[in-house]
Amino acid sequence: MAHVRLVTRIDHSQPYFRPSDRSGLPSSLPGYRLRLRLNFVEPNSDPDTRPTGVAEVSRRVEAVLDTGAPFTTLGYDLWQPFADEIRFLPQPQLASGQPRRLTVLGGRWEYQLGHVRLAATDGEGRWLPAVWTPTLLLAPAGPVNGLALLGLRTPLLDRRRVRHAGTTPDDLPVWWLEDDAVG
């Protein structure tokens, strides 16, 4: 059964006030993020061949598995080195004549739609074969240039599920993405 381990990180915390606390100081809830390693895979390579060596490192992106995002989204600095390997998809022009924009991270950013061939790997040598993934490719914009979100409508997640068990030494659950054994 194919599977890759996800990395659990606490990226931020959400402040809240407890009604019983009269100090006026906020407490915080940790913001857990599941991260995985994605690899850009050349369009004509065998999708069942695991990326290895130096090429893997230079083509690797650490992404957040974003269960609230329908589409995979990549910042300009991440996709631009592989632009000649992306299948850019034509989109009808908006009636307003303005460029298409995506609202993310508190801003609105221009984007192009494309198919990017991505595989998932982990630090323990496991991998999930490459698939063409519909992706929102952001235009250059400082705050989101390094953004990498794996959205739920990627074929990389088809017939797979996110599982967890046990804890790490930091008392965080161990998460992984595995093939669905049912059906």
Side-chain angles (χ1 to χ4, degrees):
M1 175 181 308
H3 73 278
V4 292
R5 185 171 176 178
L6 305 173
V7 176
T8 307
R9 295 232 172 94
I10 301 174
D11 283 351
H12 65 284
S13 61
Q14 179 66 39
Y16 72 96
F17 293 92
R18 290 182 294 173
S20 62
D21 185 357
R22 298 184 188 275
S23 71
L25 299 174
S27 296
S28 62
L29 296 172
Y32 295 101
R33 291 282 194 179
L34 296 177
R35 295 183 176 268
L36 76 159
R37 182 183 295 170
L38 297 175
N39 289 80
F40 286 91
V41 177
E42 294 179 18
N44 298 325
S45 65
D46 181 357
D48 294 324
T49 300
R50 183 193 183 288
T52 59
V54 175
E56 176 190 10
V57 174
S58 66
R59 301 176 72 81
R60 183 181 331 169
V61 172
E62 299 293 326
V64 171
L65 177 59
D66 190 342
T67 58
F71 293 104
T72 298
T73 304
L74 296 173
Y76 181 81
D77 288 351
L78 300 178
W79 68 263
Q80 193 280 328
F82 310 105
D84 58 338
E85 300 175 9
I86 296 171
R87 294 179 183 164
F88 289 94
L89 302 173
Q91 295 177 272
Q93 188 166 352
L94 296 175
S96 67
Q98 296 294 316
R100 295 182 181 278
R101 296 181 188 274
L102 171 71
T103 301
V104 64
L105 296 177
R108 290 181 45 83
W109 316 103
E110 291 181 27
Y111 71 91
Q112 297 176 4
L113 183 60
H115 272 134
V116 179
R117 198 150 181 237
L118 298 172
T121 60
D122 66 18
E124 296 162 19
R126 293 180 294 255
W127 69 287
L128 299 175
V131 295
W132 286 99
T133 300
T135 306
L136 302 176
L137 304 160
L138 301 180
V144 293
N145 281 341
L147 178 71
L149 302 175
L150 184 67
L152 292 179
R153 292 189 186 211
T154 174
L156 200 58
L157 298 179
D158 286 354
R159 294 183 305 278
R160 295 204 166 98
R161 57 184 161 180
V162 177
R163 305 283 308 260
H164 74 88
T167 58
T168 65
D170 299 325
D171 201 29
L172 296 172
V174 176
W175 292 85
W176 66 95
L177 182 61
E178 72 178 13
D179 284 342
D180 190 352
V182 178

